[in-house]
Amino acid sequence: MPEDRTFVIVGAGLAGAKAVQTLREEGFDGRIILVGEEAEHPYERPPLSKGLLTGSAEPGSVFVHEAGWYADHDVDLRTGTRATAIDRAGRHVELVGGERVGYDALLLATGATPRALPVPGAELDGVLTLRTLADHARIDAALTDGARVVIIGAGWIGLEVAAAARQRGAAVTVVEVAELPLQRVLGDEIARVFADLHRDHDVAFHFGTGVRELRGDGRVSSVLLTDGTELACDTVVVAAGVRPNTDLAERAGLAVDNGVVVDHALRSTVDPSVYAAGDVANAYHPPLRRNIRVEHWANALNGGPAAARSMLGQPVSYDRLPYFFTDQYDLGMEYTGYAPPGDVDRVVVRGDVAKREFIAFWTAGGRVLAGMNVNIWDVAGPIGELIRSGRAVDPERLADPRVPLEEA
């Protein structure tokens, strides 16, 4: 007998697209409506600051599926459309224009939005952020040989854009309020690796200062820092983090706390017919015994399918360890685990930091919380197993490359 339920997914990024794919793979033959604000069909975002920006990836490679896949699988894909309200009592989603779409289960995969700079001049032409294909096109056009680019924020996106810009001949200056890039996340020793890497490629840093004003006549031409320094520029890229897109959930009365609060099955703690996945979900993680919100590609890739199975009533306990990667110049890195700065009491390094060939482990109470392998490959699996085991490790053995990770 044909399925008569309707599943609505709001957010047509990687998490939403993989949820739709999983629903069909799991045999759901009811109605699926996928709503996305952007004009393009679902695509992956990491290449926007990686391969697409360096030219090592083809433009078409970013899409999750071919454009015709959605019609072929009887998915009602609504691009260029925004959801404006959720009626939880009536189980309807209202779209721009007033259309009301009923649902039996609703997945929120609304992602996140880059934080804007709250300073004068932030509205000038040439002040850019990176989140969408349209954003990428603007930055891509700006990274010309000899262009002067100022990047605000030395996080992963900021550093990846800096690397791509230098590889394309632009002059790059990075402004960061902390004393090192990624300092809060990595700690001083490992943060210096990335500072030195970029200095080796002639990136200029201004640490310990913020932005007072962006100046220009219609288009940005300089950045005034809080320490009084003025930086001439042609383009500014703001990479100051993101905020989860929770407005829709908040207006609907769902639990929101740095994201939509969901349980281990990615189900809303307020309404069992509503789910959340990807950047917007603040999900309970059973092995970590806490709620976490993860903005990385792997979380969307795996969280979307987990939410889909949960919507189908399958038993789900979403316990994937956070994972992400970066490629900058000749440095490749993978990070596995979850190590909030306040939880870490020691960083153990195995390998040669000076050569940028090492594994760093963030530990607490003798247990490994997270590991990062830099230019060393095929170890993310063992690092993850070490984290999941929760067992005490000997720091000296952990630091010794001769000792297998399984025996550290």
Side-chain angles (χ1 to χ4, degrees), residues 96-297:
V96 168
E99 181 184 358
R100 291 167 62 85
V101 178
Y103 65 84
D104 293 281
L106 169 66
L107 172 60
L108 298 178
T110 48
T113 298
R115 296 185 185 279
L117 277 184
V119 299
E123 76 289 345
L124 289 169
D125 287 344
V127 179
L128 309 175
T129 57
L130 181 56
R131 183 69 182 177
T132 68
L133 273 172
D135 294 337
H136 165 268
R138 286 187 283 268
I139 293 176
D140 185 60
L143 300 188
T144 57
D145 190 12
R148 300 167 301 172
V149 179
V150 174
I151 298 171
I152 311 301
W156 297 114
I157 297 295
L159 294 184
E160 288 177 355
V161 173
R166 285 299 301 129
Q167 288 171 263
R168 294 173 58 169
V172 177
T173 301
V174 177
V175 177
E176 169 58 51
V177 295
E179 297 301 325
L180 288 166
L182 301 160
Q183 184 177 32
R184 183 173 178 273
V185 176
L186 302 181
D188 289 2
E189 180 180 11
I190 308 305
R192 287 192 192 97
V193 172
F194 289 89
D196 292 344
L197 171 71
H198 282 268
R199 286 187 177 120
D200 286 351
H201 289 84
D202 297 322
V203 171
F205 284 104
H206 286 264
F207 290 123
T209 187
V211 176
R212 178 177 297 165
E213 182 182 356
L214 303 178
R215 294 177 169 176
D217 183 11
R219 182 177 178 85
V220 68
S221 59
S222 69
V223 179
L224 179 64
L225 304 184
T226 53
D227 66 6
T229 304
E230 188 167 5
L231 305 171
C233 65
D234 304 303
T235 299
V236 171
V237 179
V238 179
V242 300
R243 60 170 183 82
N245 293 328
T246 58
D247 293 352
L248 191 63
E250 289 181 45
R251 292 196 299 270
L254 297 169
V256 172
D257 180 11
N258 183 34
V260 180
V261 180
V262 292
D263 64 14
H264 64 281
L266 303 182
R267 182 187 302 109
S268 166
T269 57
V270 170
D271 186 335
S273 68
V274 180
Y275 302 76
D279 292 0
V280 78
N282 185 359
Y284 184 76
H285 194 284
L288 299 177
R289 298 188 294 277
R290 67 170 75 188
N291 275 64
I292 63 172
R293 189 177 69 81
V294 179
E295 297 169 359
H296 309 311
W297 162 86

Side-chain angles (χ1 to χ4, degrees), residues 28-44:
F28 179 72
D29 64 358
R31 189 181 184 198
I32 298 176
I33 303 172
L34 177 59
V35 178
E37 290 191 34
E38 294 181 60
E40 297 84 4
H41 61 283
Y43 60 89
E44 301 188 34

